[in-house]
Amino acid sequence: MLPTIVQGDRILVNKMAYDLRLPFTHVSLMKLADPERGDIITFDSVKADKKLVKRIIGLPGDTLAMRNNRLYLNGVALNYRAEPLALTENTEKAFSEGKEALSDGQTAFSVWQEALPGKSHAIRLNDQPSRLANFGPVTVPEGHYLALGDNRDASADSRVIGFVPREEITGKAHRIAFSNDPEHYYWFRSERWLQPI
């Protein structure tokens, strides 16, 4: 989910955002709401066999396609604009060496604002697009959602595991609780504490 969630972030998840569930199960006692486009959800993916965190892009009935990492929602292309990124040691080094692209030490990338209807968010795109940069068009079936990671070229999301069934969704991520920096002995990143996502 780079750049929204970075390595070392611990996120707060509202497990009652969508359902009141029997504790420690997926049994819904009462439906409280449905996920909305742009929500960051947690879900227990049967296909991936693990808990994942992704962003809802497509709602039931939506038709989506992607061409060269540009999303088309119900036939309309989303708007994108380049996003300045806070400099880290790696990006400072890249700029000082005269490189135009940002780099995490392994991959050159750029950060863009993707304008979903009603909610813009940052996404990360590698300078060399992955095989996942194109799909569709596909129509989201009833009771399912299309979820994508914000790190578009390195995310095992609905392009890999398929649509997310409503019953697998376990909560809505809404804030970073705290963050530890693995590059600096897991010291706290105070600037990320309680930051909304």
Side-chain angles (χ1 to χ4, degrees):
M1 286 293 292
L2 288 170
T4 307
I5 300 172
V6 300
Q7 186 179 9
D9 284 352
R10 301 298 181 258
I11 58 175
L12 293 175
V13 176
N14 181 354
K15 292 195 172 200
M16 290 181 29
Y18 307 120
D19 292 286
L20 179 60
R21 295 182 187 267
L22 193 61
F24 309 109
T25 73
H26 284 268
V27 176
S28 176
L29 301 173
M30 180 187 307
K31 179 178 162 182
L32 302 175
D34 283 317
E36 296 178 8
R37 190 177 288 111
D39 286 358
I40 296 175
I41 59 164
T42 58
F43 60 102
D44 288 324
S45 174
V46 171
K47 288 187 179 177
D49 196 28
K50 61 175 122 176
K51 184 176 282 288
L52 297 173
V53 178
K54 303 294 176 195
R55 186 181 301 274
I56 296 284
I57 301 295
L59 303 176
D62 284 344
T63 299
L64 292 111
M66 184 181 282
R67 299 288 174 257
N68 297 318
N69 274 324
R70 183 178 191 143
L71 274 172
Y72 292 79
L73 176 62
N74 298 320
V76 178
L78 297 186
N79 291 322
Y80 294 84
R81 68 175 169 76
E83 176 74 12
L85 183 69
L87 295 179
T88 65
E89 288 177 23
N90 288 331
T91 57
E92 284 177 16
K93 183 178 177 192
F95 285 128
S96 68
E97 292 173 357
K99 297 177 184 172
E100 291 182 10
L102 300 174
S103 174
D104 60 9
Q106 297 173 354
T107 307
F109 65 91
S110 56
V111 176
W112 295 81
Q113 276 292 318
E114 179 176 76
L116 279 176
K119 186 166 189 173
S120 289
H121 62 277
I123 62 168
R124 175 181 155 151
L125 300 174
N126 291 347
D127 285 359
Q128 295 297 317
S130 73
R131 63 178 179 78
L132 302 173
N134 297 288
F135 74 83
V138 296
T139 300
V140 183
E142 278 303 313
H144 292 76
Y145 295 85
L146 188 132
L148 298 178
D150 290 347
N151 188 358
R152 290 292 161 78
D153 289 310
S155 183
D157 47 36
S158 286
R159 297 170 293 178
V160 175
I161 62 170
F163 299 112
V164 178
R166 172 70 170 79
E167 61 271 9
E168 288 183 359
I169 298 173
T170 58
K172 178 181 178 181
H174 59 92
R175 191 173 292 275
I176 295 167
F178 62 92
S179 184
N180 299 105
D181 188 351
E183 292 181 11
H184 293 95
Y185 306 104
Y186 290 92
W187 192 249
F188 295 114
R189 292 182 182 119
S190 58
E191 71 277 4
R192 292 190 66 79
W193 285 13
L194 301 178
Q195 180 183 11
I197 54 176

